Amino acid sequence: SLSESPCFSYVLLKLKEMFNSKFGSIPKFYVRAPGRVNIIGEHIDYCGYSVLPMAVEQDVLIAVEPVKTYALQLANTNPLYPDFSTSANNVQIDKTKPLWHNYFLCGLKGIQEHFGLSNLTGMNCLVDGNIPPSSGLSSSSALVCCAGLVTLTVLGRSLSKVELAEICAKSERYIGTEGGGMDQSISFLAEEGTAKLIEFSPLRATDVKLPSGAVFVIANSCVEMNKAATSHFNIRVMECRLAAKLLAKYKSLQWDKVLRLEEVQAKLGISLEEMLSVTEDALHPEPYNPEEICRCLGISLEELRTQILSPNTQDVLIFKLYQRAKHVYSEAARVLQFKKICEEAPENMVQLLGELMNQSHMSCRDMYECSCPELDQLVDICRKFGAQGSRLTGAGWGGCTVSIVPADRLPSFLANVHKAYYQRSDGSLAPEKQSLFATKPGGGALVLLEA
């Protein structure tokens, strides 16, 4: 297991030495929380639909020493991330700048508010991590989860993994991102050797056994995308919300109570395939402007702005409701098909799973418009050199691709992709060892006491 591996012991020892030189003392305990790769099910968790991620071995690791004062001191092993200190009693999270320490504060504040505590004990924390930032592998959520577990441990309280995941999913929204909860759930609920189907309300996780004859390979496009710093992500969340309301209104449901596309399907009691045909009937492919949305719902522009739109989407002039709903309902169906193929394990399962991943990428690119030229190019290169399927993973607009590769083709696949994408003649990409790697399902968050 992870905590017994010699490599991990070395990482802890190095972190302990850095902690000592930074704070002049020894950490009492360590917490790790992994990043994740979403195999299929992109941009649908916040619509209420199940997703299929696995934890990666890369993680965030924090060395912690509780102190008697109320001072919270955060340091990072990476010199790009400056030290930060504040009073543990007065945690302010600045939404305008997604700085690294704000993600720590999200996790801390979530636990603090859950227990209704006004006073928190102070602590010294040294944060280390090897998840590439802004790559779509959930480095920020891993930091939120890690900080939540750190705070819980310092308080000497206990919560179930499901409760922790739900608290951290909610608290990450303090940073201004309206995410769904997949990243925090897999960080806590992951188990070594298996991917998970994560379902929401109520939150639960089911093992999904991946094919033994194939490997999942992550390739970083090296285009960084910071979810909290861009409005793309929150606009998509809002387009899905508006699509749900228009679909509900079209079907004479109580639309003002509806927030997610999944709720419309649940209220109508019909299949995902049937929801796709309702979408065809109810919505048009041409973009909607705010005035037309108001006409459809019978409300004023003022009501739309103040009661439905979030502050960061109030000035958006066009909403592509048809395309976003089509993506969500078709992607939700692909997740269920993926799980079913893994369970039934037919002879050609790697090919079938690959086809679903390819369809997912096409939908992300054309209907959800969350790809970018570099991701599309990388996906094409991966397919050309032996991937049975390849798609963007994470929010998109940059970050990583995930590919399913037959195990016997792995060495040539890695060599060829490295040459075709990372060794460009113009030398524009710094080849990082973090950029292209095979991965296997890792374990979830844990606490290690200093022996």
Side-chain angles (χ1 to χ4, degrees), residues 12 103 108 126 160 215 247 264 278 284 331 384 392 401 441:
L12 282 186
Y103 290 96
L108 174 119
L126 179 60
S160 72
V215 183
L247 289 167
V264 183
V278 170
H284 55 67
E331 185 78 348
K384 179 180 165 187
L392 65 84
T401 62

Side-chain angles (χ1 to χ4, degrees), residues 149-413:
L149 190 48
V150 163
T151 309
L152 186 73
T153 308
V154 165
L155 291 171
R157 304 280 182 113
S158 62
L159 287 168
S160 72
K161 290 177 179 181
V162 166
E163 288 172 309
L164 269 166
E166 292 187 315
I167 291 165
C168 290
K170 212 166 75 193
S171 69
E172 191 166 328
R173 296 183 192 139
Y174 294 136
I175 207 101
T177 313
E178 299 285 332
M182 159 174 59
D183 304 344
Q184 302 81 3
S185 304
I186 190 68
S187 198
F188 285 114
L189 302 172
E191 289 178 84
E192 214 169 314
T194 179
K196 296 277 183 178
L197 178 80
I198 307 262
E199 300 171 86
F200 301 99
S201 40
L203 177 61
R204 55 210 183 282
T206 316
D207 289 0
V208 176
K209 190 178 172 344
L210 298 171
S212 51
V215 183
F216 288 89
V217 178
I218 294 169
N220 193 341
S221 70
C222 303
V223 176
E224 289 204 356
M225 185 272 172
N226 184 321
K227 268 200 315 225
T230 111
S231 58
H232 292 308
F233 185 88
N234 288 333
I235 292 171
R236 292 297 178 279
V237 175
M238 190 50 65
E239 287 173 317
C240 290
R241 182 170 298 177
L242 291 168
K245 289 183 182 295
L246 264 66
L247 289 167
K249 174 90 197 257
Y250 177 80
K251 283 303 214 175
S252 311
L253 300 170
Q254 201 182 350
W255 63 265
D256 55 328
K257 297 275 187 283
V258 168
L259 291 174
R260 297 191 180 92
L261 286 163
E262 186 275 333
E263 294 165 36
V264 183
Q265 186 200 354
K267 285 182 163 59
L268 294 174
I270 62 179
S271 70
L272 286 161
E273 289 66 32
E274 289 169 304
M275 269 322 301
L276 282 165
S277 63
V278 170
T279 302
E280 291 287 346
D281 297 340
L283 302 175
H284 55 67
E286 301 74 35
Y288 288 74
N289 61 30
E291 291 73 19
E292 185 180 1
I293 290 168
C294 290
R295 280 201 304 279
C296 292
L297 296 177
I299 58 172
S300 68
L301 269 171
E302 183 56 22
E303 286 170 302
L304 176 68
R305 283 176 64 94
T306 56
Q307 290 168 31
I308 301 176
L309 298 181
S310 54
N312 48 21
T313 56
Q314 285 179 357
D315 301 321
V316 178
L317 298 175
I318 61 163
F319 297 96
K320 296 190 176 179
L321 308 187
Y322 167 88
Q323 290 83 349
R324 311 314 183 217
K326 291 264 304 195
H327 166 75
V328 170
Y329 291 129
S330 64
E331 185 78 348
R334 283 187 283 274
V335 170
L336 302 179
Q337 288 167 299
F338 196 99
K339 176 174 184 271
K340 189 164 179 263
I341 293 166
C342 287
E343 285 165 352
E344 293 172 359
E347 285 288 297
N348 61 339
M349 75 185 287
V350 174
Q351 181 201 333
L352 295 174
L353 297 176
E355 283 165 11
L356 288 172
M357 291 171 71
N358 289 339
Q359 290 166 18
S360 170
H361 184 76
M362 261 165 44
S363 184
C364 286
R365 182 190 67 202
D366 302 338
M367 298 310 256
Y368 220 71
E369 295 177 280
C370 62
S371 190
C372 67
E374 294 86 349
L375 280 171
D376 295 338
Q377 186 197 2
L378 186 50
V379 159
D380 288 342
I381 288 171
C382 289
R383 289 179 194 156
K384 179 180 165 187
F385 290 118
Q388 292 280 311
S390 188
R391 57 181 292 277
L392 65 84
T393 184
W397 297 291
C400 289
T401 62
V402 60
S403 303
I404 186 171
V405 181
D408 55 357
R409 303 192 59 173
L410 181 65
S412 70
F413 174 84

